[in-house]
Amino acid sequence: HKASVLSLDHSSSKQGISNTNTPICHLLSGDEAGTARLWDFRTGVRAALCMMVPNGGPQEVTSVAFSPPPPSKSDVSSGSNPFSHDFTVYLSAGKHVYSYDLRKATAPVVKQYTHNLSTVLENSEEVNHLSFSFPGRGNYNLNLAAGDDGGCVRVSDSLTPPSSSSSSNTRTRKRILHHDPDELAMVTSAVFRPRPTKSLDLATGGTDCTIHLWDVNRPRRPSSTHHIANDDAGANQVCNPPMVHSLSWSPSGRLLAGALGDGSCCILRVDGRRLVEVDRLRDGHDAAVASILFPGFGGSSSSFLAASNHVAARDRLVASAGNDGAIFLWDLGADSAGDGALDPSDIFVESILLSGRQQQNQTEAEQDSLEDDMEGLALTGGSKLLFGIPHQRKPNFLVSSGTDNVFASALFVADTTNDITAYTLPLR
């Protein structure tokens, strides 16, 4: 990249909607200069494709997302084309959302988008976050959500703009969720809940220090609302309000984690149709938490993880990235995650844990500073800090690999530089 990287997505993030024949070792990134890169790790660490937003439009790519491609058509490039990839990717820039069908790519730089979804979503303010739904039971319909600065999330089940030749019987469902009816708060994150049953659940967070849980099919009002309390548990909590910067669902869909502006992280559980706070991770970060994630580690990279089939097996591990330049990995404990969740202390090799010797490439001063920051942490609900990574730069986004055959069990960090950093964490 030639500018700061703002957003990331990994091709394993929606394994439930991915083509099973498609390799899941790709990374998608968007930057301030109006470009996005597709990284195919099977061919090295150079970008395979560069997608450009239209000239004259807003240049910052604020969010990126993978999606399965539409059904094959005769005009799609054949598999012998070295630039073709079996993905459709989505980028947001300003009020616009663009799709790029990368099966049609014929050169390393893709200048023409496939569809402009602005006429479908009709966001009136800058889009901050894109999210795709997971498939329901017996339902493969995809929904795209776009949260914007106007306090709204617009959700559509159509991924192509309407045309004059479209059949009148073709119905597109667009729903508008008013996170803030007064339009004073920005929606910073909107994430679909995995493992859906009958409802299509979406969580939204914003600058109003509020998290909503929605059934998208009933968009008039949220199913549950959680107002995040501003407390005096630490010095940083006093100075900054707990605005929601990022949200992440646990793999089971039972827990929801929020990255907050006061340097803490809230952990919520879905109890029926209600959001209930079960833990608050405080005193780890010295500045706002920019991104939070339930890492998708596992698969063939970890025999320990692969041995468990429990739905909540991966619900105890959370990664957070703060504006203080630190990345922390937390164990939520059995109280929050449940007895079926695996203990992260048993997932990582012993040498990487705080109780052992960290194997990160740190100077002695960095190591001592990080350990000093983590001493004496008083966390509720049985949660604890496992280990930290002194990234040293302000992060913008954090994603993980899932069953990536090249970067197994990796955290990818986008920050204020032009680079993306990959931290590979050794698993048992």
Side-chain angles (χ1 to χ4, degrees):
H1 283 276
K2 296 182 179 179
S4 178
V5 182
L6 301 177
S7 51
L8 297 172
D9 193 20
H10 193 273
S11 55
S12 65
S13 62
K14 286 288 192 295
Q15 291 187 41
I17 61 173
S18 295
N19 185 334
T20 55
N21 297 320
T22 300
I24 47 178
C25 48
H26 294 73
L27 186 72
L28 185 63
S29 56
D31 64 26
E32 289 183 341
T35 69
R37 303 297 205 276
L38 177 74
W39 309 82
D40 184 347
F41 295 135
R42 298 170 300 171
T43 60
V45 291
R46 294 180 63 87
L49 290 176
C50 173
M51 287 69 69
M52 303 179 65
V53 300
N55 292 331
Q59 292 301 297
E60 290 189 352
V61 177
T62 53
S63 186
V64 295
F66 279 103
S67 171
S72 298
K73 298 179 181 179
S74 58
D75 62 342
V76 175
S77 300
S78 67
S80 61
N81 178 3
F83 302 109
S84 175
H85 288 75
D86 194 22
F87 291 115
T88 297
V89 298
Y90 291 76
L91 321 177
S92 64
K95 298 183 289 186
H96 302 281
V97 176
Y98 304 100
S99 70
Y100 294 78
D101 186 346
L102 300 185
R103 297 172 306 162
K104 301 179 180 180
T106 57
V109 178
V110 182
K111 296 182 178 180
Q112 181 59 48
Y113 57 82
T114 306
H115 295 296
N116 183 347
L117 300 183
S118 302
T119 55
V120 175
L121 296 166
E122 297 181 324
N123 291 88
S124 59
E125 301 289 344
E126 182 177 61
V127 175
N128 294 315
H129 196 220
L130 298 176
S131 177
F132 274 101
S133 62
F134 293 77
R137 296 176 181 174
N139 179 15
Y140 196 78
N141 289 337
L142 289 178
N143 284 264
L144 175 63
D148 62 31
D149 279 354
C152 294
V153 180
R154 295 169 187 265
V155 183
S156 176
D157 62 2
S158 174
L159 304 183
T160 58
S163 63
S164 57
S165 60
S166 298
S167 169
S168 59
N169 294 326
T170 301
R171 298 182 62 185
T172 298
R173 298 187 65 193
K174 181 183 71 177
R175 288 138 293 183
I176 302 177
L177 314 180
H178 295 277
H179 177 90
D180 179 15
D182 296 327
E183 299 184 356
L184 300 176
M186 297 183 293
V187 175
T188 54
S189 186
V191 288
F192 279 100
R193 185 183 181 188
R195 298 185 177 274
T197 52
K198 295 181 179 179
S199 60
L200 182 60
D201 292 347
L202 179 79
T204 63
T207 55
D208 56 352
C209 308
T210 299
I211 298 174
H212 293 305
L213 176 66
W214 304 81
D215 179 350
V216 172
N217 294 320
R218 299 178 178 180
R220 180 171 297 183
R221 61 179 61 88
S223 304
S224 180
T225 297
H226 179 72
H227 299 286
I228 302 168
N230 192 359
D231 57 34
D232 56 356
N236 193 58
Q237 279 76 13
V238 176
C239 301
N240 300 297
M243 296 180 180
V244 181
H245 292 165
S246 172
L247 293 173
S248 178
W249 285 102
S250 68
S252 72
R254 298 179 179 183
L255 299 178
L256 178 67
L260 307 180
D262 63 359
S264 69
C265 306
C266 65
I267 307 298
L268 310 178
R269 183 178 63 235
V270 180
D271 192 355
R273 297 299 302 166
R274 295 175 56 246
L275 291 174
V276 179
E277 183 168 328
V278 294
D279 205 354
R280 189 83 168 262
L281 310 180
R282 300 181 175 93
D283 297 326
H285 291 285
D286 294 329
V289 184
S291 189
I292 197 163
L293 178 71
F294 281 91
F297 301 152
S300 59
S301 62
S302 170
S303 58
F304 183 80
L305 278 171
S308 176
N309 295 321
H310 196 281
V311 66
R314 295 164 175 81
D315 279 10
R316 277 181 63 166
L317 182 64
V318 170
S320 62
N323 290 348
D324 53 2
I327 299 170
F328 291 134
L329 279 94
W330 309 80
D331 174 9
L332 297 183
D335 290 351
S336 297
D339 294 334
L342 298 176
D343 185 345
S345 298
D346 297 327
I347 296 173
F348 295 104
V349 297
E350 184 179 357
S351 57
I352 201 174
L353 300 175
L354 284 176
S355 57
R357 284 78 47 203
Q358 288 183 324
Q359 290 186 325
Q360 305 301 325
N361 295 324
Q362 306 169 19
T363 66
E364 184 175 348
E366 290 169 346
Q367 174 90 14
D368 292 342
S369 175
L370 187 60
E371 290 179 350
D372 289 343
D373 288 343
M374 294 187 291
E375 284 183 359
L377 292 181
L379 303 177
T380 61
S383 56
K384 64 180 179 180
L385 191 54
L386 291 172
F387 60 90
I389 302 172
H391 184 67
Q392 296 187 301
R393 292 177 292 275
K394 180 179 177 293
N396 289 323
F397 216 91
L398 183 69
V399 297
S400 71
S401 61
T403 52
D404 191 319
N405 295 326
V406 181
F407 282 99
S409 64
L411 289 175
F412 298 94
V413 186
D415 55 40
T416 52
T417 70
N418 303 351
D419 300 324
I420 302 167
T421 306
Y423 295 101
T424 300
L425 307 178
L427 306 181
R428 295 186 181 182

